[in-house]
Amino acid sequence: MAKRKTIALALGSGGARGYAHIGVIEEVLARGYDIRAISGCSMGALVGGIHAAGKLDAYRDWVCELDYFDVLRLVDVTWSPMGAIRARRIMDELEALIGDTRIEDLPIAVTTVATDLIAQKEVWFQSGNLLEAIRASIAVPGVITPVQRDRKVLVDGGLMNPLPITPLVAAHVDLVLAVNATAHSPRNQTLEQMLPPADAAEEEAREAALEARGGGFSDWLRGVRRGAERIFSAEKEQALEDQQGMAFASPVGGVPLPPGDASRLKFEALKSSDAEPAPGEEALAEPQADAGAVTQGKQPPSTAEPERVDENAPELAWGKLDMMMRSFDITQATLAKYKIAGYPPDILVEIPKTVCGAYEFHRAAGLIKLGRHLAAEALDRYEKGSDG
């Protein structure tokens, strides 16, 4: 019986595109390779750590069931100047899955990569609590709050090393496979365009079904935009502070929020996507609908002055968030090219950053299929070349 080839995996960052790592792992295992080591950054750290803990199948089943609104409910917004999202709800789900697992106890050698903002260098987690290591590695600067530990401020490892091949240099394996989930693409390739025809048709049908159920992507996006507007509208909060005086800190650069209950009501409304708007806050909860009512000639209640609604504000606020994520993607894509050039892996799987947005976590099923499809093609090329 032929000895199984040993392999090490470098799983890169890339937000939702990191779901493709699941498909890559499935294809590698299906071909009989023995995974001995995993190095991961951001979503690569999350997927790699969960696989090493033996819980990848359960995680896969969970994420494939998430729709737009499930994802939105997992986003726990905070007013911290260090980031807009705590990620506590997500980590609670992971804790229920893998518990208090320590990296050194895993059957596979795992390295998760984070960035220390104070020392301006990479931090490799190769021992200690797995959940804490994952949490540090996924902390996208300005979006997910960092982890503060031992006088370090730890954020997403993709800031310095989005494709961590270097921790695998000393691994005693037959080959190294790297998955770049922020790859540059000569053209804007969509997820459906890259999938095999049968899988592409299934993905399109799934998206259409989601659209038909519960309002679909447009309502989900509107909810995210409203959240982004509150998080990033520093100018509006500053104006309110000038009028009413300082009371407590806002989420944006320490700009103070006004006193009273109004801002706290906004915060509570934002924390729960399915909560009913507080009395007097209807305009806040549905600014576009309120603006439409005024346009149609409906008069607001005479007891209160109508709130002025800038219809472009949600789009402008979303643009700021989108620009942050896109800028981070571009930086990671460029850094990944240098990492590949410096430490070329034996096999490279590239997921174009155009297949979906970094925040489209409801597309797990299609991205997993894409990862498996691209891994199969890359392994076919490698195996054909090694046999020849």
Side-chain angles (χ1 to χ4, degrees), residues 301-362:
S302 58
T303 56
E305 182 180 348
E307 180 182 353
R308 293 182 181 179
V309 179
D310 180 359
E311 294 187 6
N312 291 322
E315 285 72 19
L316 177 61
W318 173 256
K320 292 176 184 177
L321 178 62
D322 199 36
M323 282 174 60
M324 286 178 61
M325 299 303 294
R326 287 176 183 268
S327 298
F328 198 51
D329 270 353
I330 292 170
T331 301
Q332 290 181 102
T334 302
L335 283 172
K337 288 174 65 178
Y338 286 111
K339 296 297 181 182
I340 293 166
Y343 297 92
D346 299 290
I347 303 172
L348 177 63
V349 177
E350 294 203 292
I351 316 296
K353 63 181 185 296
T354 58
V355 296
C356 74
Y359 40 78
E360 293 185 62
F361 289 97
H362 63 285

Side-chain angles (χ1 to χ4, degrees), residues 95-314:
E95 185 174 12
L97 194 65
I98 64 177
D100 186 21
T101 302
R102 298 191 66 80
I103 297 173
E104 61 268 29
D105 295 334
L106 295 170
I108 297 172
V110 169
T111 302
T112 72
V113 180
T115 301
D116 180 7
L117 288 180
I118 303 298
Q120 301 179 35
K121 65 179 184 180
E122 293 178 38
V123 176
W124 293 2
F125 287 86
Q126 295 176 318
S127 62
N129 184 273
L130 177 60
L131 277 174
E132 184 179 342
I134 291 172
R135 177 62 179 82
S137 189
I138 67 171
V140 179
V143 179
I144 297 178
T145 54
V147 171
Q148 299 189 52
R149 168 189 172 185
D150 300 331
R151 297 186 180 181
K152 297 182 178 70
V153 178
L154 301 171
V155 297
D156 197 320
L159 194 63
M160 296 191 72
N161 192 352
L163 188 56
I165 303 172
T166 45
L168 301 176
V169 170
H172 298 291
V173 293
D174 295 319
L175 65 151
V176 173
L177 183 151
V179 186
N180 179 13
T182 57
H184 282 298
S185 175
R187 54 193 177 88
N188 291 335
Q189 295 174 291
T190 66
L191 178 57
E192 290 80 5
Q193 288 171 341
M194 295 201 67
L195 285 169
D199 289 336
E202 187 175 338
E203 179 66 13
E204 289 173 354
R206 192 187 67 84
E207 285 292 294
L210 282 175
E211 283 286 345
R213 188 180 72 204
F217 183 71
S218 58
D219 281 357
W220 177 84
L221 184 59
R222 190 178 300 117
V224 175
R225 282 177 168 173
R226 286 202 301 269
E229 180 187 16
R230 293 170 178 82
I231 295 167
F232 293 104
S233 295
E235 299 83 1
K236 181 181 294 186
E237 301 294 357
Q238 182 65 62
L240 287 170
E241 183 271 325
D242 290 341
Q243 294 174 11
Q244 302 179 32
M246 185 185 305
F248 55 99
S250 85
V252 185
V255 176
L257 292 175
D261 292 335
S263 295
R264 287 181 173 83
L265 287 171
K266 293 179 184 180
F267 175 62
E268 293 301 324
L270 187 55
K271 283 202 301 183
S272 176
S273 61
D274 54 357
E276 290 295 325
E281 292 294 305
E282 289 82 5
L284 173 70
E286 293 292 346
Q288 293 177 333
D290 188 65
V294 174
T295 303
Q296 295 169 15
K298 297 180 181 179
Q299 297 300 317
S302 58
T303 56
E305 182 180 348
E307 180 182 353
R308 293 182 181 179
V309 179
D310 180 359
E311 294 187 6
N312 291 322

Side-chain angles (χ1 to χ4, degrees), residues 25-43:
I25 291 172
E26 290 177 345
E27 183 63 23
V28 166
L29 293 176
R31 294 188 180 223
Y33 289 94
D34 181 11
I35 300 175
R36 293 287 183 87
I38 296 176
S39 176
C41 170
S42 197
M43 273 295 285

Side-chain angles (χ1 to χ4, degrees), residues 356-377:
C356 74
Y359 40 78
E360 293 185 62
F361 289 97
H362 63 285
R363 308 201 72 181
L367 289 161
I368 292 170
K369 289 178 182 178
L370 177 63
R372 185 153 191 172
H373 170 65
L374 294 179
E377 291 184 337

